[in-house]
Amino acid sequence: MQLQDAEIEVKLLIDAIYLKYNYDFRDYSKASQKRRIEQGITALKCQTISELQSQVLHDPAVFMQLLQYLTIPVSEMFRDPSYFLSIREQVVPVLKTYPSLKIWVAGCSTGEEAYSLAILLQEEGLLERSIIYATDINPVSLEKAKKGVFPLERMALYGDNYQAAGGKRSLEHYYTGAYGGALFDKGLAEKITFSDHSLATDSVFSETHFVSCRNVVIYFNKALQGRAYNLFYESLCRRGFLGLGHKESLDFSTCSHLFEAVVKKDKLFRKL
């Protein structure tokens, strides 16, 4: 098959998904999109993209299976520990000046980052006056996140991350292990609201004090990146904070003039 034909098939599939299910992947990176669709084809035992499209259009269950490849839920508690350490040292002192807090974790996947921030806020005496909005477009990921159960085998890594992020206790303090899973404290979950939200089509969360969106916009094209950054800007309160993934940057974006770097190496910014 010629490359041009493959590109046409990918476009037809993505357009069909938008028209049928209202999930908008049209401005995602083409290379990433193609790679993820190829993984879906293999997993769903289809021979061609056209065959996959036919199944997706006629069977919502097949679409939901493909969605797991289009979004690829990948997360880790206290991922990139220096990011969380910088939040403790540079962002938390400002957050402590507010009587109440709204935090938005955009693209929360299965919830590891939302729970990490909840632990950090609790240790800094801020969780009781905080609401964490954790959003994603993948309903399967959101259901996993709501349960607050993560693989027990990953707790050693997560515990190391937590300590490197300036953790004040042992991570074991926050979960109960049973049957191969680590169930995190319900008191953390009570402060997190998990909900569906698309950076491609949905609107702002107004008067948010801190937005953390990491390793999400890297999969967008320039136009959608600009939309996402503008969404964060409009969502943030005056002088609110934005955190991005270590491979993401505001440099050369249409919104670069709207933020200043707080800790550039950890991709922490502040609204101007």
Side-chain angles (χ1 to χ4, degrees):
M1 179 182 289
Q2 295 178 1
L3 179 61
Q4 186 178 8
D5 293 338
E7 289 175 347
I8 291 170
E9 286 197 327
V10 167
K11 184 180 186 306
L12 289 172
L13 172 61
I14 295 302
D15 286 347
I17 287 170
Y18 177 64
L19 292 169
K20 174 80 173 181
Y21 299 102
N22 202 33
Y23 278 77
D24 195 351
F25 295 100
R26 294 174 299 173
D27 287 323
Y28 279 53
S29 160
K30 298 304 179 189
S32 171
Q33 202 175 76
K34 185 172 180 291
R35 184 169 62 251
R36 294 178 180 201
I37 288 171
E38 287 172 349
Q39 291 171 346
I41 286 174
T42 301
L44 293 166
K45 297 180 169 58
C46 295
Q47 297 302 312
T48 65
I49 298 174
S50 294
E51 181 185 344
L52 178 62
Q53 178 182 319
S54 178
Q55 290 195 28
V56 164
L57 282 174
H58 294 97
D59 189 345
V62 173
F63 167 66
M64 195 53 60
Q65 288 178 272
L66 178 61
L67 184 62
Q68 307 315 305
Y69 294 92
L70 291 175
T71 57
I72 305 187
V74 176
S75 193
E76 185 178 296
M77 290 196 77
F78 295 95
R79 183 179 184 180
D80 305 319
S82 65
Y83 173 79
F84 289 91
L85 187 60
S86 289
I87 292 172
R88 284 187 191 268
E89 295 175 347
Q90 303 296 327
V91 178
V92 163
V94 178
L95 297 184
K96 286 182 176 180
T97 66
Y98 295 102
S100 61
L101 294 169
K102 286 173 68 175
I103 313 293
W104 179 18
V105 181
C108 70
S109 187
T110 45
E112 285 87 339
E113 179 152 328
Y115 283 94
S116 299
L117 283 170
I119 290 170
L120 187 156
L121 291 170
Q122 185 175 88
E123 292 184 347
E124 297 297 335
L126 292 173
L127 188 60
E128 283 304 308
R129 52 174 140 148
S130 300
I131 297 175
I132 301 171
Y133 295 100
T135 65
D136 204 271
I137 63 170
N138 188 330
V140 174
S141 294
L142 288 171
E143 281 305 309
K144 290 180 180 178
K146 289 174 185 176
K147 293 176 182 176
V149 179
F150 304 115
L152 197 58
E153 64 191 29
R154 304 213 74 192
M155 288 305 111
L157 169 63
Y158 293 176
D160 289 345
N161 287 352
Y162 164 75
Q163 292 298 330
K168 297 182 177 180
R169 318 182 77 150
S170 165
L171 188 61
E172 292 178 351
H173 175 80
Y174 297 101
Y175 69 83
T176 303
Y179 305 107
L183 173 62
F184 275 76
D185 186 351
K186 292 297 183 185
L188 301 173
E190 287 170 1
K191 306 302 291 187
I192 307 172
T193 299
F194 291 101
S195 61
D196 177 85
H197 183 277
S198 169
L199 295 173
T201 57
D202 292 328
S203 56
V204 302
F205 282 79
S206 61
E207 290 302 298
T208 303
H209 300 89
F210 177 46
V211 175
S212 185
C213 182
R214 302 202 299 145
N215 308 304
V216 177
V217 298
I218 194 172
Y219 298 114
F220 297 170
N221 66 17
K222 289 293 183 182
L224 187 52
Q225 285 180 5
R227 185 189 196 278
Y229 292 148
N230 191 66
L231 202 63
F232 301 149
Y233 179 82
E234 295 295 334
S235 296
L236 286 167
C237 67
R238 181 178 178 274
R239 302 292 285 150
F241 293 90
L242 170 65
L244 300 176
H246 74 284
K247 291 183 179 179
E248 296 163 339
S249 176
L250 289 169
D251 294 343
F252 311 114
S253 77
T254 57
C255 298
S256 60
H257 64 290
L258 301 176
F259 295 89
E260 65 177 351
V262 177
V263 185
K264 193 157 188 176
K265 71 177 179 63
D266 288 317
K267 303 305 171 74
L268 280 169
F269 304 89
R270 197 170 186 186
K271 179 177 178 177
L272 288 169

